[in-house]
Amino acid sequence: QVQLVESGGGLVQAGGSLRLSCAASGRTFSSYAMGWFRQAPGKEREFVARISWTVGVTYHADSVKGRFTISRDNAKNTVYLQMNNLKPEDTAVYYCAAGFLPTMRRGTGEDEYAYWGQGTQVTVSS
């Protein structure tokens, strides 16, 4: 019912920047929160950041605080993840997710999100 498509991943050198985009379609999103997660090989999905559609309240994981910024364009139904000062440990597949805001807890667990994109690869070389 909700479709999410990520884009913007790629290969960058340490210290560089990338901007990921997540285009959402299929439903209205005023009651949703959008999140970014990442998953490195052999590891569980890790929370990165989340944002509410209406107010734009954000929360970022400590590992990316000060380097990554989540934002949204409600008119375009698109959420972004601006990634600056990238480090090799940021290498992962990055996933966009959507969850129903009234039922969310902290919005940091993958079980709180019902819809997921296919992911986009981010590789940071040193």
Side-chain angles (χ1 to χ4, degrees):
Q1 192 170 19
V2 175
Q3 294 181 330
L4 307 173
V5 180
E6 304 98 332
S7 62
L11 174 64
V12 298
Q13 188 175 349
S17 298
L18 282 175
R19 188 193 190 194
L20 305 183
S21 298
C22 174
S25 63
R27 294 180 63 176
T28 59
F29 297 94
S30 60
S31 298
Y32 282 79
M34 303 293 293
W36 284 100
F37 290 74
R38 65 187 182 184
Q39 186 169 24
K43 295 184 179 295
E44 294 182 337
R45 287 185 186 178
E46 174 190 17
F47 169 78
V48 176
R50 71 110 175 95
I51 188 170
S52 61
W53 279 109
T54 54
V55 181
V57 176
T58 64
Y59 180 75
H60 298 78
D62 289 342
S63 59
V64 305
K65 184 75 174 180
R67 299 188 299 120
F68 293 9
T69 303
I70 190 171
S71 62
R72 85 275 187 259
D73 186 334
N74 289 16
K76 294 182 177 181
N77 285 338
T78 300
V79 64
Y80 305 96
L81 185 67
Q82 178 66 48
M83 305 184 294
N84 298 325
N85 192 24
L86 283 161
K87 304 177 183 297
E89 51 263 44
D90 295 319
T91 296
V93 177
Y94 283 71
Y95 296 91
C96 178
F100 188 52
L101 187 58
T103 63
M104 282 190 161
R105 303 181 298 277
R106 299 181 62 86
T108 59
E110 62 179 298
D111 63 331
E112 301 179 66
Y113 296 84
Y115 306 100
W116 294 82
Q118 290 76 28
T120 184
Q121 176 71 46
V122 172
T123 303
V124 184
S125 64
S126 59

